[in-house]
Amino acid sequence: MEREVLEFDVQFVGAGPAGLAGAIHLANLVTKHNETATTTGGTALPELNIAVLEKSSEVGQHGISGAVMDPRALRELMPDYVAKGCPIEAEVTGDDVYILFEKSQFRLPFLPPALHNHGNAIVSLGELSKWLAAEAEARGVLIATETPAQTPLLDGQKLLGVRTGDKGVDKHDNKKPTYQPGADCLAKVTVLCEGPRGTTAKQLEKALGLNAGKQPQVYATGVKELWEVPAGRAQKGRVIHTMNWPLTADTFGGGFIYGLSDSLWYVGCVTGLDAKDPTSDPHGNLQRLKTHPLVSALLEGGKPISYGAKAIPATCTLTMFSIILFCSTISVSAIGPTQRISTSNCLA
């Protein structure tokens, strides 16, 4: 079968913040090098063909997380990001951490250092990705949407590029009249930015033995809703994290609530996928979290306007450890003799 062959100097697989920031940084480095070469009589680089491959029809469609972003890396990448219109929903104005019980809660009197969010910003990951894509295109980067990387192209242990998925194929892998074979996207350098458990990365792990002798990765599922409430009911810039209920003592995870404006909340729950209970339900945990008096009071009179879920690599071990140490210093007698703190839970 003949396939179209596309050749790039560098290609990034995945148009999320990582892939787009990488493409922008590379384009900036090339521009800076050539400007220096012009003034010093050095050798300028030829124009690089940089591409970002994105599986969705529009950049940002898979960036569903509500996020609190530390702007440090973005500031280093683009010092004038605010002047350029970076879509920041709100600056963080307040942090709260609650230990939840089924009908009550306990607010931590002070925050562990890892959970101080002052100076950070609440953003929509989807909108941030769209903005980064526009900045990348302004630097000459090709954004190729509807281009899902499906198979890595290997020559021994060298990654030559990726093959995109065939189109016009039914669920039984039979070709339909609209069949169109995928293309081979070749590059001198291919950077995988697929997110957790990416299609190409999973195949490379097996083919190249990347997991051999390594600690297995642990994953969680984050489920999030965007809620619209009557004006004045939400608190722009407020960040709330919860732990313990509705999760069990041996389940990793926690809840989060972020205020985008005076009428919009992000509310979500993260559930570890290594839970001992095989019936652990990430979606059900979010629905239970919303019934808690603390959360239901924030959402009263509102309605959900969007919903999403995604896999999350559970890499907040240090944060979890700091929370456990912190919680171990709290006097249980100050909370109540019938209430139990689960120190094995981690914040979202």
Side-chain angles (χ1 to χ4, degrees), residues 10-317:
V10 181
Q11 62 184 354
F12 294 81
V13 179
L20 293 167
I24 291 171
H25 184 53
L26 178 58
N28 287 346
L29 288 176
V30 172
T31 299
K32 182 178 180 180
H33 173 86
N34 288 345
E35 289 175 350
T36 302
T38 300
T39 57
T40 61
T43 303
L45 293 171
E47 182 178 355
L48 286 186
N49 192 357
I50 305 171
V52 179
L53 312 183
E54 168 57 30
K55 61 185 176 182
S56 62
S57 60
E58 182 181 342
V59 172
Q61 286 186 343
H62 290 272
I64 63 172
S65 294
V68 175
M69 178 187 73
D70 183 341
R72 177 173 48 185
L74 185 57
R75 190 180 299 117
E76 292 178 2
L77 176 69
M78 204 179 306
D80 57 347
Y81 70 96
V82 175
K84 286 182 174 292
C86 180
I88 294 174
E89 303 290 347
E91 300 289 343
V92 175
T93 58
D95 275 321
D96 288 302
V97 178
Y98 287 90
I99 300 172
L100 299 186
F101 309 98
E102 187 170 0
K103 298 296 182 182
S104 60
Q105 68 275 344
F106 174 78
R107 179 178 175 274
L108 296 187
F110 60 90
L111 294 174
L115 294 176
H116 282 279
N117 285 300
H118 286 282
N120 295 343
I122 299 173
V123 299
S124 162
L125 216 57
E127 294 301 318
L128 179 64
S129 296
K130 291 178 184 178
W131 177 77
L132 286 171
E135 290 294 326
E137 288 181 318
R139 290 164 172 77
V141 175
L142 171 67
I143 309 295
T145 56
E146 296 186 280
T147 309
Q150 188 174 63
T151 309
L153 300 174
L154 287 168
D155 180 11
Q157 292 198 334
K158 182 180 180 180
L159 181 61
L160 303 179
V162 294
R163 175 170 293 167
T164 65
D166 296 345
K167 299 179 180 179
V169 179
D170 64 21
K171 63 181 180 181
H172 300 295
D173 205 29
N174 297 318
K175 298 176 184 178
K176 299 191 292 187
T178 56
Y179 175 76
Q180 180 181 344
D184 287 346
C185 299
L186 309 179
K188 299 179 179 69
V189 177
T190 297
V191 185
L192 300 183
C193 308
E194 300 175 294
R197 299 295 288 165
T199 301
T200 307
K202 284 191 296 183
Q203 296 174 69
L204 289 175
E205 287 174 1
K206 183 176 181 180
L208 302 179
L210 300 179
N211 289 339
K214 305 297 190 301
Q215 184 76 12
Q217 175 66 58
V218 178
Y219 297 93
T221 296
V223 185
K224 184 208 76 175
E225 294 177 354
L226 176 63
W227 272 70
E228 184 178 37
V229 296
R233 295 298 304 275
Q235 300 167 37
K236 183 176 181 178
R238 187 181 182 190
V239 170
I240 301 172
H241 286 109
T242 72
M243 57 192 301
N244 205 51
W245 193 87
L247 304 179
T248 58
D250 57 359
T251 302
F252 170 91
F256 61 91
I257 304 167
Y258 304 149
L260 283 75
S261 67
D262 68 347
S263 61
L264 292 174
W265 288 114
Y266 280 139
V267 56
C269 187
V270 172
T271 302
L273 296 183
D274 60 341
K276 294 182 180 179
D277 181 2
T279 65
S280 178
D281 181 1
H283 170 76
N285 288 334
L286 173 59
Q287 305 314 311
R288 293 174 66 201
L289 176 68
K290 292 189 299 181
T291 67
H292 191 277
L294 173 70
V295 182
S296 62
L298 297 174
L299 303 180
E300 186 177 356
K303 61 180 180 180
I305 57 177
S306 65
Y307 167 92
K310 65 171 296 184
I312 303 172
T315 56
C316 41
T317 304

